[in-house]
Amino acid sequence: MPPAISRLAITFGLVSVPVTLHSVIEEQGLTMHLVHAEDAGRIRLRRTCEACGREVPKDQVARGYTDPGGRTVVLTDDDLDQLPLPSIKSVDVLASSTPPRSIHCS
C-alpha cells in the first residue's frame, strides 16, 4: 500500500473515527520534451533543433515524447486539449459502518 498522504479524524459528537488518506494516482513515467514541429528534433535551452542544427522560433516549438522504440511523437495543442483531465476536489464515502437512520444532522 502506498504511504499515507494524511492522517485525519472525523468526529461525530463524542465519537472520533481515525481516517488515513492514500494516493490513488500511480506514477507513469511519461517524460515530455520540447521538439521541432517540422522534424521532431529535440529542442534545448536555446531552442536549437538537434535534427537540423538551426535555432527554432518559439512559434515552431511543439511538445512530444519518445517511445521505447526511439520514435518521437509530436503532440499539438489540440491533442493535449482532448485529454480527459478531471479535477475533483471532493471525497466520496464508499462505505460506512453506521446505518443511515442513526446519523442525525442538526
Side-chain angles (χ1 to χ4, degrees):
M1 179 162 286
I5 294 174
S6 180
R7 297 180 193 281
L8 308 167
I10 298 175
T11 305
F12 299 101
L14 298 175
V15 178
S16 182
V17 180
V19 177
T20 304
L21 297 177
H22 296 274
S23 175
V24 295
I25 299 174
E26 183 178 322
E27 184 70 32
Q28 296 295 319
L30 178 66
T31 304
M32 301 290 282
H33 306 289
L34 295 179
V35 295
H36 189 187
E38 290 180 15
D39 55 18
R42 289 278 305 267
I43 297 174
R44 300 295 176 183
L45 190 56
R46 290 192 305 161
R47 292 192 307 264
T48 304
C49 176
E50 288 182 348
C52 66
R54 292 179 300 171
E55 192 164 335
V56 180
K58 194 171 184 176
D59 64 338
Q60 291 184 10
V61 175
R63 296 204 182 275
Y65 69 92
T66 305
D67 67 9
R71 205 176 54 178
T72 300
V73 178
V74 178
L75 299 172
T76 65
D77 288 337
D78 293 334
D79 293 331
L80 297 175
D81 289 341
Q82 293 176 10
L83 293 176
L85 300 174
S87 177
I88 300 173
K89 295 184 180 185
S90 65
V91 176
D92 294 333
V93 177
L94 301 176
S96 173
S97 59
T98 307
R101 284 175 268 149
S102 64
I103 298 174
H104 302 287
C105 298
S106 53

